[in-house]
Amino acid sequence: MPTTMQMQSISGIITQVRVTSGEVPPPLVGASVTVVGDKVFVFAGRLVSSRKMTNHMHVLDINTLVWTRHIPPPDSDKPPKPRYFHSASVYENTIVMFGGMGYSRVSADGLCVLDDISVFDIETMSWRRPEIKPSLFAPRPRYAHLSSITENKLIIVGGQDMNNNYLGEINILDLKTWEWVQVKNLDKHVGAYRSIAITTPPGTRLPVMLKDNMGGADAPFDMMDAAMQAAAADGKDLGGGANTNHRASLVRQYGELLQSSQEPNPIYLYTNYNFADVKRELQLIFSPASPSSTIEDCSSFMTGSVMPPGLRFPTGHTLGHHLILAGTYLSPQSHAYTIWSLNLGTLTWSRIETGTVFGSGSWNKGVLHEDTNRLLVFGHRSRNLLEDYNHRQVNFDHLATVDLEAFGVYKLPKTTCSSLAQEMGLSLLNEPAVSDFRIITRENQSIAVNSAVLCQRWPYFAELMKSNREAVQGKEPVDPESDEDTIPKEEVNSRMTVKSHSMVFPYPYAVVVALLQFIYTDNLLTAQQYQPHVLSQLLLLADMYSLSRLRELTAHALHQMLNMSTAPLIFETAALSHKTSLQIRALKMMIAAKKMIQQQQLRSNTNSQQGQRLDGLQASPTSSLSSGFNPSSPALSPQRQHFTSSQPQHPLFDSRTSTFDNNSNATSPTLSAYRTRTPSLTSRPSVARPSVSGFSTTRSYSPPSTPRQTPMGLPQHNMGPLDPDTGSIAGVPLDQPTTSTNGTKSKEKTKKRKNFLEAFGSKFSMSSQ
């Protein structure tokens, strides 16, 4: 029960509900909802109150949650006709609208399906109607279709005609020439009611089961390995140590999820239908704009401990290497809005647990705000979901934000330079001939660097050097008795040089080297950098000196190596560096670990009690709640082995924990050695804070209390409430096993018991199981 309550309270942090204000859109049916930057654009739809279609544009400022109804400027083209169930796709700071159902003056019911194109320019907030060239590949009019954009092409998938028949085709519009260039058959019933079509960003990893057929999927790493092997052949260290193979494996393990442009970016087409006994299909459409495009069916590869139910009017988005699926789930037992994530590398489904927020009220439409790694869900927390669904109604009065990063789903750091450029940067760091400055570490080790490179990449260092030059001018004024005209020009210029050519940076050598490697490469790619304790310090330094790129890279790496052994270290580091999402995810890992160990402890105690009843001999000491080793115990319970063996044996302990250094500060999540450090050109103050005053910085942390750690850096998990007075758990002193002994038995009782067991031993054993 306590663990369940803890998870519910965490869900309350992950999902927050806020009220919108301003010119809130009325309840609508079939309106498009699109996010561009920090704005949400809601266009057209049918009014629930009057059943009339509109062509109004409402804009929500995500930062202020204020709605405004947009009126186009006078020089704008006419807005599109009123419609609903159209498509809206974002392309180069514009929104491209296509199709939908609108009014007709010809048909008997006054309705028709549309096939026109309109573009809304975000910069000018105006409409324009591009001239579409006639083509044999033009799509048939449709509504409730899917759309996506890839390689400067608008892809229209499926949809329904005026008779509600599904259209089995894919149409492609060239957004540069505004010409329909291709049409493909699609033998699927695909539409907005049951399907999503999502384009993955360049560099998104493909499912592992398809990589063997693609060829070249590991091209970025082959290039990196080749560069490192070539450098090793030349005898260069590259700033990454001698073991380049180990470094390459670490980069593959933790750094391969950075986005690059090597792998293809197919369209993921997901469909669910037959909601009573849900069927799920997943197709990958490769190079849809190419005549040789292929469709790979990956439906049978989808796995997961739990699978998504049938979702009606689903919405889909890609974030990092995950596909986000959200929609309305209706069953006789439950009516709720649910969110799921699909790992695109393994095609494994997992549910985004949002607590009880979406269990009540009417939540109708979810869109992704990529910049904050949050899903924005519009609805009304006081309305009835089933009633609104029956009217296909979407409400915009309330906005629920779901923090996806707390589930390991987030925007990945982008590659800023090639592998060759990164290797050249490491080589430059190892070249003393181009160095003019020295960094002094805590161990008094000197590292030669180029001050120009540091000034360019590290703003704080640039300000520090600027202050250093100004201090030289102030401390060495010109002698008033001397004749300034007689002073050689070279001597005047010498007063403008830097006085100090070294800076004391009181951090461990490994951390300083890792920071310099980042500054020289704008990336994390060496084995030294991918150590948990080093990454933790880099994240703190990134927060201290406002290095946003380093902050993004280190948070990403810590996400990847989060497991039960690293969770305490990552939890405290995230708390100190204001990475709330990473902190929440580490906390959930710690709670799950505690729950698992409690269950194992309970099973171990139960088995021990059964063994005592069966043996009837002198009882052995019972299991201690301490995570330490009990020499008097006959055998180690499974959870005790985790905390006594040199390597973790439980399958949930990731093999990546071997990167811990027993002599490093990884065993101390308090990071006490780093809370009072300050770089200085002259001395070593007691606290550190990035500020440009003289030649030093100060900053102090007030961290939470540190959980006790075992010598190998694994967390001790308390099995119950800790008594602050006695230091014991549930009445049992820490590190002191409880023992139970049987009283002295008389010889007669012992003989009777022996005879009893011999006579009924088999039956007794069966009944005890």
Side-chain angles (χ1 to χ4, degrees):
M1 179 63 71
T3 301
T4 303
M5 294 179 63
Q6 289 172 335
M7 286 300 186
Q8 289 179 353
S9 62
I10 293 175
S11 299
I13 301 174
I14 295 172
T15 307
Q16 298 180 349
V17 179
R18 301 171 65 184
V19 180
T20 63
S21 59
E23 299 175 284
V24 181
L28 295 170
V29 178
S32 63
V33 184
T34 313
V35 177
V36 181
D38 290 335
K39 299 289 194 301
V40 179
F41 298 86
V42 175
F43 175 68
R46 193 192 70 196
L47 297 171
V48 175
S49 57
S50 62
R51 300 186 61 84
K52 290 184 178 181
M53 286 183 248
T54 74
N55 61 352
H56 298 161
M57 175 72 79
H58 290 82
V59 183
L60 173 69
D61 188 316
I62 296 177
N63 299 316
T64 62
L65 296 185
V66 176
W67 287 99
T68 56
R69 179 181 166 184
H70 176 67
I71 305 298
D75 59 347
S76 170
D77 290 347
K78 290 184 178 180
K81 298 177 183 178
R83 64 191 65 204
Y84 71 152
F85 288 117
H86 53 283
S87 64
S89 305
V90 179
Y91 173 69
E92 293 184 349
N93 210 31
T94 65
I95 304 176
V96 182
M97 312 286 184
F98 171 78
M101 180 176 288
Y103 289 121
S104 171
R105 299 179 180 178
V106 180
S107 62
D109 57 3
L111 299 176
C112 67
V113 287
L114 305 170
D115 62 352
D116 58 333
I117 291 282
S118 297
V119 178
F120 185 77
D121 192 309
I122 304 298
E123 184 177 355
T124 62
M125 297 295 286
S126 60
W127 292 97
R128 57 186 175 91
R129 295 282 191 90
E131 182 179 353
I132 306 299
K133 299 178 182 180
S135 173
L136 296 176
F137 304 118
R140 288 176 281 177
R142 65 192 67 194
Y143 80 106
H145 53 277
L146 309 176
S147 70
S148 188
I149 290 180
T150 179
E151 300 174 357
N152 298 318
K153 305 292 192 300
L154 174 67
I155 315 297
I156 302 297
V157 183
Q160 296 173 264
D161 60 17
M162 193 62 200
N163 297 320
N164 293 327
N165 298 317
Y166 281 99
L167 302 176
E169 65 180 19
I170 300 175
N171 300 86
I172 301 173
L173 174 68
D174 190 319
L175 296 175
K176 295 298 184 182
T177 63
W178 296 106
E179 181 180 3
W180 294 101
V181 296
Q182 202 169 357
V183 61
K184 299 176 182 292
N185 292 327
L186 180 66
D187 189 20
K188 299 288 181 183
H189 289 177
V190 175
Y193 175 70
R194 57 198 294 177
S195 313
I196 59 171
I198 304 300
T199 302
T200 55
T204 303
R205 61 181 176 182
L206 293 174
V208 293
M209 59 284 300
L210 296 180
K211 280 192 174 183
D212 295 337
N213 299 328
M214 296 304 300
D218 290 330
F221 306 106
D222 295 338
M223 293 173 57
M224 183 180 296
D225 293 344
M228 288 188 291
Q229 291 172 5
D234 294 337
K236 294 183 179 180
D237 181 53
L238 298 181
N243 193 350
T244 56
N245 291 330
H246 177 53
R247 185 183 76 191
S249 65
L250 283 174
V251 172
R252 287 178 182 270
Q253 188 171 7
Y254 299 123
E256 66 175 347
L257 300 185
L258 270 66
Q259 287 187 348
S260 63
S261 58
Q262 299 296 327
E263 291 187 347
N265 51 321
I267 292 179
Y268 282 74
L269 180 62
Y270 176 82
T271 301
N272 59 187
Y273 57 93
N274 190 21
F275 296 122
D277 183 18
V278 63
K279 306 297 182 184
R280 308 174 190 88
E281 295 181 353
L282 178 65
Q283 284 83 31
L284 272 65
I285 306 176
F286 289 93
S287 304
S290 171
S292 60
S293 65
T294 59
I295 300 179
E296 296 285 345
D297 192 338
C298 298
S299 304
S300 60
F301 299 138
M302 292 188 295
T303 61
S305 57
V306 288
M307 301 288 283
L311 300 182
R312 303 160 197 262
F313 291 103
T315 58
H317 309 274
T318 54
L319 183 61
H321 289 301
H322 290 82
L323 182 148
I324 306 301
L325 175 69
T328 302
Y329 170 57
L330 300 177
S331 70
Q333 297 80 20
S334 175
H335 307 149
Y337 191 86
T338 63
I339 307 171
W340 298 77
S341 70
L342 175 67
N343 186 311
L344 297 179
T346 61
L347 295 185
T348 303
W349 285 103
S350 59
R351 182 170 180 176
I352 304 296
E353 297 290 349
T354 56
T356 60
V357 173
F358 296 130
S360 60
S362 177
W363 301 97
N364 320 114
K365 190 75 170 183
V367 289
L368 177 68
H369 188 219
E370 187 178 23
D371 293 342
T372 59
N373 300 316
R374 281 172 165 76
L375 188 72
L376 312 180
V377 184
F378 291 97
H380 196 294
R381 57 186 174 190
S382 300
R383 293 188 58 84
N384 181 271
L385 176 60
L386 182 59
E387 179 182 345
D388 287 347
Y389 172 79
N390 290 333
H391 293 91
R392 307 297 191 262
Q393 172 177 334
V394 177
N395 305 286
F396 299 95
D397 302 85
H398 298 109
L399 177 65
T401 60
V402 181
D403 185 359
L404 298 176
E405 187 180 353
F407 299 91
V409 181
Y410 53 91
K411 184 179 179 180
L412 301 177
K414 293 183 179 180
T415 302
T416 57
C417 57
S418 65
S419 299
L420 179 60
Q422 296 171 11
E423 297 296 341
M424 291 177 63
L426 291 179
S427 300
L428 182 63
L429 179 59
N430 287 338
E431 195 61 53
V434 295
S435 302
D436 62 347
F437 202 84
R438 291 179 300 111
I439 303 293
I440 310 299
T441 69
R442 186 179 67 181
E443 300 87 351
N444 289 325
Q445 291 183 271
S446 177
I447 304 174
V449 297
N450 186 285
S451 60
V453 175
L454 267 63
C455 288
Q456 184 69 27
R457 296 288 185 86
W458 191 3
Y460 168 77
F461 184 83
E463 293 294 329
L464 193 65
M465 293 297 292
K466 183 179 178 181
S467 301
N468 190 27
R469 292 189 183 96
E470 293 174 352
V472 171
Q473 298 177 24
K475 290 184 179 181
E476 296 185 7
V478 178
D479 187 355
E481 298 181 359
S482 63
D483 188 357
E484 295 184 3
D485 295 337
T486 62
I487 299 178
K489 185 176 181 181
E490 293 77 12
E491 188 175 341
V492 175
N493 292 337
S494 66
R495 297 192 180 102
M496 301 296 294
T497 59
V498 177
K499 178 180 180 181
S500 175
H501 290 273
S502 64
M503 180 180 77
V504 176
F505 199 64
Y507 291 85
Y509 177 81
V511 175
V512 178
V513 169
L515 176 63
L516 293 174
Q517 288 171 346
F518 160 76
I519 293 175
Y520 272 75
T521 64
D522 202 37
N523 214 329
L524 302 179
L525 70 160
T526 68
Q528 293 96 321
Q529 292 171 319
Y530 281 102
Q531 299 295 323
H533 65 284
V534 173
L535 284 171
S536 297
Q537 302 316 311
L538 290 179
L539 181 56
L540 293 175
L541 291 174
D543 179 66
M544 182 182 296
Y545 297 108
S546 301
L547 299 173
S548 58
R549 170 71 175 171
L550 180 59
R551 178 182 171 91
E552 186 179 17
L553 290 171
T554 51
H556 166 64
L558 290 173
H559 269 296
Q560 298 306 308
M561 62 177 56
L562 178 62
N563 52 56
M564 293 202 307
S565 63
T566 60
L569 174 68
I570 295 176
F571 172 81
E572 187 168 2
T573 303
L576 295 174
S577 57
H578 312 98
K579 291 292 294 182
T580 305
S581 302
L582 179 59
Q583 181 185 4
I584 292 174
R585 190 171 179 228
L587 178 60
K588 292 195 298 181
M589 178 70 72
M590 295 166 65
I591 294 175
K594 178 180 178 180
K595 181 178 180 181
M596 183 198 71
I597 294 177
Q598 285 177 330
Q599 293 173 347
Q600 290 182 344
Q601 186 76 31
L602 180 61
R603 288 195 296 267
S604 177
N605 292 340
T606 302
N607 294 336
S608 177
Q609 293 174 3
Q610 290 178 352
Q612 291 177 15
R613 290 197 302 267
L614 291 174
D615 293 341
L617 302 176
Q618 188 72 15
S620 299
T622 59
S623 299
S624 172
L625 290 180
S626 170
S627 60
F629 175 73
N630 181 7
S632 63
S633 299
L636 284 176
S637 62
Q639 72 274 17
R640 270 199 213 117
Q641 297 178 14
H642 301 327
F643 299 98
T644 57
S645 62
S646 60
Q647 292 294 335
Q649 300 298 322
H650 195 279
L652 290 180
F653 281 88
D654 199 310
S655 61
R656 290 173 288 184
T657 58
S658 62
T659 56
F660 270 98
D661 185 353
N662 290 337
N663 297 324
S664 70
N665 289 323
T667 59
S668 178
T670 57
L671 312 175
S672 58
Y674 303 96
R675 295 192 186 119
T676 59
R677 301 303 183 194
T678 175
S680 174
L681 295 177
T682 55
S683 60
R684 298 186 181 184
S686 59
V687 293
R689 173 74 182 176
S691 62
V692 184
S693 59
F695 305 99
S696 64
T697 59
T698 60
R699 177 168 186 147
S700 61
Y701 291 109
S702 298
S705 58
T706 304
R708 296 176 59 187
Q709 296 290 311
T710 65
M712 66 174 294
L714 298 178
Q716 287 187 342
H717 298 278
N718 296 334
M719 299 299 107
L722 181 65
D723 189 340
D725 298 326
T726 62
S728 63
I729 303 175
V732 181
L734 290 175
D735 302 322
Q736 180 179 349
T738 60
T739 58
S740 62
T741 59
N742 295 330
T744 304
K745 304 294 184 180
S746 64
K747 295 183 179 180
E748 296 179 358
K749 291 184 179 180
T750 302
K751 184 176 181 180
K752 291 181 180 180
R753 181 177 181 82
K754 181 177 180 181
N755 295 335
F756 175 81
L757 291 176
E758 291 177 351
F760 302 96
S762 59
K763 295 182 180 180
F764 183 81
S765 300
M766 294 177 61
S767 62
S768 301
Q769 292 178 351

